[in-house]
Amino acid sequence: MLLACNNVFLNQANSTKRSGFNPSNIKIASSKPASIKSVLSTSSLSNSASVSKKFFACKAAPSSSVSKTPFPETNARLVLEDGSIWKGRAFGATGTQVAEVVFNTALSGYQEVMTDPSYKGQFVSFTCPHIGNTGINFEDHESKKCHLGAIVVRDLSLCVSNYRAKLSLADYCKQQGVIGLAEIDTRALTKVLREHGCLVGAISTDPSKSDAELLKMARNWTIVGKDLLSVVSCTEPYEWRQGTHHEWEFNRALLQGNKQKFHVVAYDFGIKENILRRLASFGCRITVVPATYPASEVLKMNPDGVFFSNGPGDPSAAPYAVDNAKAILGKKPVFGICMGHQILGQAFGGKTFKLKFGHHGSNHPIRYTPTGRIEISSQNHNFAVDPASLPTGVEVTHVNLNDGTCAGMVYAEKKAMTIQYHPESSPGPHDADVCFQQFIDMMKAEHPVKA
């Protein structure tokens, strides 16, 4: 179903109109919010036995922001490096930002996307047209803050209707310094990015900035060659013990606990907290270290395994991470995901390259070649490992079925495994959770009787 919905967004993109009349965008001026009773009396919900106000908290747009025309007012712009200008309605923070524009095809989980450090240096355009209806809670963050520069949406929900919500999306963006741009035809924008590749853009709510200035900013910026790992990484080592909360644990067998406990050192290139939770749930005691932490210090800890995390930017711009990986390979079992996959690919002797528009979403099909198993995966990356550049002995174990790119490797001689996507799947399906068990099995093979 996710793939089908995704194809609708991609295939029905309108390349000739970037804005237009949409009855759902009409805001009715009102001096006070409509009551729940009046809303229910004019909707199909009127037949429901009861509706809890806790789950249906809707507030009308302020009268000062309501357009006197049926078309939404625009007060912000996205200017792409190709010269196109996308006008929309701002929410959240104000100002001017420049970054690479990518689209994400997930139908849910915008909070997890926004707090994923891998989006540092990027603006995210959501292909799902309705964003913000579940608000923001304090439990689902993937890091301490938002790292992306802006989000672009078709329709910003005026209703927050989730029992866990503490903030509206607009309030959260303002708090985090993230610019929001609504009333954009994100289907058309997605088509442009698919056809021409990722484009750098400048977003501004500042009317004093001319289109020419914003275009110049966009054309003078690139993510290629930028080391962002050390920017989003922690600065000091710390311990992590917390597993997935029992309420959300989908692998019920893990609730019984693991008799074997393994010490894993995790390199933080922009690590998501749910990755740490999954490792802990599988019985790992985790020491998280900064991206630049010397391999010699890691080996002094004598861990059972070493983990290389996800992260933003260009993998070829972090040679220190590659050097550390080379020093650890063959000495300890290692597992790398996303950026970690790309770092290890270089440490194996391979090369990376930039994808046309990257993989961003929670519905990407992967084939596990040893068995033919198909996984639907959560992904977020703009670079890939070139399989033709890999040395003999490295097996490509996973293949992306959308474009045939390398999605996973095993280097048995060096006790290493990698995948190019997110096994913790936050958001996303849990098909790839088995990868954590495979890492555990690698460590068990080194310590068969470890208590």
Side-chain angles (χ1 to χ4, degrees):
M1 179 178 179
L2 292 176
L3 285 172
C5 291
N6 181 34
N7 288 335
V8 169
F9 292 128
L10 299 182
N11 295 335
Q12 293 186 1
N14 185 339
S15 61
T16 58
K17 289 188 176 181
R18 294 182 178 168
S19 64
F21 175 70
N22 184 338
S24 66
N25 293 330
I26 300 177
K27 307 295 189 296
I28 306 301
S30 173
S31 59
K32 61 182 180 180
S35 68
I36 290 187
K37 182 177 179 181
S38 65
V39 171
L40 294 179
S41 66
T42 58
S43 74
S44 60
L45 292 176
S46 60
N47 294 326
S48 302
S50 65
V51 176
S52 169
K53 292 183 181 181
K54 187 177 182 181
F55 296 98
F56 192 86
C58 199
K59 63 180 181 179
S63 58
S64 61
S65 67
V66 176
S67 174
K68 295 180 181 180
T69 76
F71 299 96
E73 292 180 345
T74 59
N75 58 358
R77 294 156 291 161
L78 166 64
V79 179
L80 297 179
E81 61 178 308
D82 67 351
S84 61
I85 301 171
W86 305 71
K87 296 182 178 181
R89 178 171 56 84
F91 64 92
T94 58
T96 302
Q97 294 280 352
V98 60
E100 182 179 56
V101 184
V102 301
F103 62 88
N104 187 295
T105 58
L107 299 184
S108 63
Y110 58 81
Q111 178 174 338
E112 291 92 328
V113 169
M114 292 176 65
T115 53
D116 181 351
S118 297
Y119 282 107
K120 178 72 175 179
Q122 293 178 326
F123 300 153
V124 177
S125 173
F126 291 98
T127 60
C128 184
H130 192 58
I131 298 293
N133 57 307
T134 57
I136 297 291
N137 63 67
F138 297 152
E139 294 81 38
D140 292 347
H141 294 325
E142 290 297 333
S143 65
K144 304 299 183 187
K145 64 176 184 178
C146 287
H147 294 273
L148 48 69
I151 60 173
V152 180
V153 305
R154 177 66 186 94
D155 178 62
L156 175 66
S157 176
L158 293 177
C159 295
V160 176
S161 55
N162 185 277
Y163 73 103
R164 299 169 68 218
K166 303 299 182 183
L167 291 172
S168 70
L169 178 57
D171 288 342
Y172 181 67
C173 285
K174 186 174 183 179
Q175 179 192 94
Q176 293 291 312
V178 174
I179 299 174
L181 188 61
E183 311 297 345
I184 297 294
D185 187 344
T186 51
R187 295 180 302 172
L189 178 58
T190 296
K191 188 171 182 180
V192 168
L193 298 177
R194 279 174 58 85
E195 291 181 347
H196 301 289
C198 288
L199 297 170
V200 175
I203 284 182
S204 183
T205 62
D206 184 354
S208 70
K209 295 280 187 183
S210 68
D211 294 341
E213 286 180 281
L214 296 177
L215 178 60
K216 183 178 180 180
M217 291 174 63
R219 289 179 173 174
N220 288 340
W221 193 92
T222 180
I223 201 169
V224 176
K226 280 189 168 51
D227 169 28
L228 299 177
L229 308 190
S230 56
V231 176
V232 300
S233 179
C234 61
T235 56
E236 296 290 338
Y238 64 92
E239 300 292 313
W240 183 279
R241 297 287 190 276
Q242 178 187 354
T244 302
H245 191 279
H246 65 85
E247 182 180 3
W248 309 110
E249 181 54 72
F250 50 88
N251 187 342
R252 309 309 289 179
L254 296 180
L255 294 176
Q256 307 303 317
N258 269 287
K259 293 182 179 180
Q260 286 187 299
K261 299 293 183 181
F262 296 101
H263 179 210
V264 172
V265 173
Y267 269 100
D268 177 13
F269 299 147
I271 198 166
K272 294 172 64 178
E273 290 187 355
N274 264 306
I275 293 174
L276 295 172
R277 292 190 184 101
R278 293 316 291 158
L279 286 169
S281 292
F282 275 89
C284 297
R285 174 174 64 88
I286 307 146
T287 302
V288 184
V289 298
T292 57
Y293 204 71
S296 58
E297 295 301 311
V298 169
L299 293 173
K300 284 180 183 178
M301 298 181 195
N302 194 29
D304 299 305
V306 180
F307 180 80
F308 294 84
S309 83
N310 61 294
D314 185 347
S316 66
Y320 58 86
V322 177
D323 290 340
N324 282 331
K326 287 179 179 179
I328 293 170
L329 280 173
K331 298 181 177 68
K332 298 290 180 180
V334 300
F335 179 26
I337 72 165
C338 295
M339 175 60 71
H341 162 91
Q342 297 160 14
I343 293 296
L344 286 171
Q346 294 176 88
F348 295 164
K351 297 180 179 179
T352 59
F353 65 96
K354 195 171 189 299
L355 296 165
K356 183 177 180 181
F357 49 81
H359 302 152
H360 310 276
S362 58
N363 49 8
H364 291 252
I366 298 294
R367 183 176 68 244
Y368 179 54
T369 55
T371 65
R373 167 185 161 88
I374 304 299
E375 300 174 357
I376 302 302
S377 66
S378 179
Q379 303 205 10
N380 174 27
H381 58 99
N382 267 16
F383 292 81
V385 173
D386 179 5
S389 67
L390 294 170
T392 303
V394 179
E395 177 188 3
V396 175
T397 53
H398 298 71
V399 176
N400 187 303
L401 295 180
N402 282 338
D403 58 11
T405 52
C406 171
M409 302 174 290
V410 166
Y411 199 171
E413 180 185 338
K414 299 293 186 181
K415 308 175 187 177
M417 61 174 285
T418 76
I419 57 171
Q420 179 63 94
Y421 50 98
H422 285 266
E424 85 291 346
S425 299
S426 297
H430 301 139
D431 299 24
D433 196 61
V434 65
C435 293
F436 291 111
Q437 184 60 56
Q438 291 170 341
F439 183 41
I440 296 297
D441 291 341
M442 287 176 62
M443 291 187 288
K444 282 182 178 179
E446 293 290 302
H447 305 282
V449 293
K450 184 178 176 65

